[in-house]
Structures are given as structure tokens and as C-alpha cells.
């Protein structure tokens, strides 16, 4: 889902990796066309992809999910995938209208933006998120997906700007269906985020929890990116 600019730094030892099984977790990414696993019946947080704002049209979000969800997860996030951040007003209006529809029963936690910002482009992305935060009603939180390279290599000023805009960030550890190698090296810098964060794992991907993660007071847990037909198929 996100690409990662690889960095050269010292190796952090990691334990023997296991493979991620959805049944062992309680927070999930559910993209369109993916069947929810039984574990979602007891989920604590669900991130549902609603639509995409594509590179060729800044004025419209293409809906990918036609009806509002009816589940009762304690946290429900509306996800919009963005390929650009220079949105027209009509796209913001569309997103806000959809968020209100999803919140008809008062169950929507907030909106998450999934955008592939480079580490060097975080200043501009933070400005976009700050504007998004201003537009959202106060009852909605704002989340964003993020690269592992951000806490490792972003400037202090850019991380401060991201903290000012977001209620949480979800750091991605995979590309398509594969865990990115050397994730432990990147995540050894996660404390630089200094804000609530989750870590996203791909279903079936290799994973061994870095030792410092559970002790970080800002760490909120894991989110599993579910695959269409299990870990052997592409999302």
C-alpha cells in the first residue's frame, strides 16, 4: 500500500519472525472486495476504505463502498485513499457528507487519510492535514497512514507539525503482501513520533515484535491489513 525509501543505518537485532494471523489481533484494515474474518466479530478497531481521490481528478472522491457500515466496533474509521493533496472544495464536501452519513448512529471515530508522502514532503503533507483537521467537525478524530522512514529520518519540525494535525498515525510495515525487510531498524526510532500510533502488519507477513515497542506509552497496538483470499493473494 505504501512504498518505503530505504535508509542505511546500524542493524537492530530482531527475534525469529512468525507469520501474522488475523485471529491473533483485534484491529483491522478492510479494503473493498475482502471478506472479513471471524476475528472481526470481536474487533476493537476497524479501518474501512470508503473511497479514492485519484491523480487525474482533484474534485471528486471515487466511492468504493456504497453503504454505511452497521457494525459495532468500539473504533470505526473512514479511510480515504489519496493520490494528491491539492483537493478541490467539492472533494472536501463529499468527504464530510460521507463522514456524517457513517456517523448517523454516533459510531464513527474519525477519518483516516492514506497518502504516500515522501519523508522530504512531510512539511507540505502536514499543512494539508492541518487544513483537513480544521474542516472536520470536532467530534471526529483525524488519522493518517505513515512510512517507517518518517520517525527515522523526518526533521523534528516536520514531526511536530504532524503531531499538531493528527490524533494518531498508523505506520505501515509492508509493501503489497510482503513485510519490508529490516523493519526493526526503522521502528527503533518510533519514539520520535511522540504521539499515539499503531503499527500496521500485513496478513500472513513475517513479524517479530521489536523489544522496545510494547514499552512505548504512545503505542496503541497493531492493525492487520487483510488480504482478499488470505495471505497467499494480493490485496
Amino acid at each position: 500500500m505504501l512504498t518505503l525509501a530505504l535508509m542505511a543505518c546500524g542493524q537492530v537485532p530482531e527475534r525469529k519472525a512468525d507469520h501474522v494471523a488475523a485471529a491473533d489481533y483485534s484491529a483491522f484494515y478492510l479494503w473493498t472486495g475482502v471478506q472479513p474474518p471471524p476475528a472481526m466479530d470481536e474487533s476493537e478497531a476497524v479501518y474501512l476504505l470508503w473511497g479514492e481521490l485519484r491523480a487525474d481528478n482533484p474534485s471528486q472522491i471515487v466511492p468504493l463502498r456504497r453503504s454505511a457500515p452497521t457494525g459495532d466496533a468500539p473504533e470505526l474509521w473512514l479511510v480515504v485513499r489519496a493520490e494528491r493533496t491539492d483537493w478541490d472544495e467539492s472533494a472536501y464536501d463529499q468527504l464530510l457528507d460521507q463522514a456524517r452519513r457513517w456517523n448517523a448512529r454516533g459510531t464513527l471515530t474519525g477519518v483516516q487519510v492514506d497518502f504516500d508522502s515522501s519523508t522530504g514532503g512531510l512539511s507540505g503533507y502536514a499543512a494539508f492535514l492541518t487544513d483537513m483537521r480544521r474542516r472536520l467537525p470536532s467530534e471526529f478524530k483525524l488519522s493518517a497512514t505513515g512510512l517507517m522512514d518518517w520517525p527515522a529520518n523526518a526533521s523534528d519540525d516536520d514531526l511536530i507539525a504532524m503531531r499538531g494535525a493528527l490524533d494518531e498515525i498508523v505506520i505501515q510495515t509492508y509493501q503489497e503482501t510482503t513485510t519490508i525487510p529490516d523493519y526493526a531498524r526503522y521502528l527503533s526510532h518510533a519514539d520520535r513520533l511522540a504521539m499515539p500510533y499503531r503499527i500496521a502488519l500485513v496478513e500472513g507477513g513475517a513479524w517479530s515484535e521489536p523489544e522496545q515497542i510494547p514499552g512505548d506509552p504512545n503505542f496503541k497496538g497493531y492493525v492487520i491489513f487483510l488480504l482478499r483470499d488470505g495471505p497467499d493473494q494480493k490485496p
Side-chain angles (χ1 to χ4, degrees):
M1 181 165 50
L2 297 175
T3 55
L4 179 68
L6 296 179
M7 69 175 189
C9 62
Q11 181 69 39
V12 175
E14 57 183 83
R15 292 163 284 173
K16 185 179 188 321
D18 296 318
H19 287 84
V20 174
D24 295 335
Y25 298 88
S26 59
F28 304 95
Y29 274 116
L30 188 66
W31 261 214
T32 53
V34 179
Q35 291 299 314
M40 277 193 64
D41 292 340
E42 305 296 330
S43 59
E44 296 179 1
V46 179
Y47 296 74
L48 295 178
L49 178 64
W50 162 63
E52 294 179 343
L53 187 136
R54 295 171 179 167
D56 62 351
N57 188 356
S59 65
Q60 181 183 19
I61 300 171
V62 178
L64 302 176
R65 186 180 300 274
R66 296 293 177 178
S67 59
T70 58
D72 295 316
E75 289 189 37
L76 173 64
W77 294 87
L78 183 160
V79 181
V80 59
R81 180 85 177 95
E83 295 180 350
R84 57 193 296 169
T85 57
D86 56 336
W87 294 19
D88 290 346
E89 287 297 323
S90 57
Y92 288 110
D93 292 343
Q94 189 183 0
L95 174 61
L96 293 174
D97 179 68
Q98 191 67 24
R100 294 186 184 101
R101 286 188 58 219
W102 279 35
N103 197 45
R105 298 188 300 131
T107 56
L108 182 65
T109 301
V111 170
Q112 182 180 85
V113 180
D114 179 14
F115 173 70
D116 294 2
S117 173
S118 66
T119 304
L122 275 184
S123 178
Y125 188 36
F128 166 79
L129 292 170
T130 298
D131 182 55
M132 177 74 77
R133 172 69 275 171
R134 178 183 62 81
R135 294 169 182 271
L136 284 176
S138 59
E139 66 263 31
F140 296 148
K141 294 182 178 181
L142 181 60
S143 172
T145 59
L147 301 177
M148 291 189 292
D149 192 57
W150 293 359
N153 284 331
S155 71
D156 290 340
D157 287 345
D158 285 348
L159 292 179
I160 289 170
M162 295 293 282
R163 286 197 293 273
L166 295 173
D167 295 287
E168 68 154 33
I169 193 166
V170 181
I171 298 296
Q172 315 292 305
T173 63
Y174 53 87
Q175 187 170 7
E176 294 187 347
T177 64
T178 304
T179 302
I180 295 169
D182 297 333
Y183 57 84
R185 292 197 287 125
Y186 294 99
L187 293 176
S188 67
H189 302 277
D191 60 335
R192 289 193 67 225
L193 293 170
M195 64 177 295
Y197 70 94
R198 287 180 162 121
I199 296 174
L201 313 176
V202 65
E203 183 181 11
W207 178 252
S208 179
E209 184 175 69
E211 292 183 356
Q212 81 281 1
I213 293 298
D216 188 339
N218 286 311
F219 175 59
K220 295 175 58 180
Y222 295 102
V223 185
I224 307 309
F225 186 77
L226 299 167
L227 302 184
R228 182 167 288 114
D229 294 309
D232 295 329
Q233 300 296 318
K234 288 187 178 298

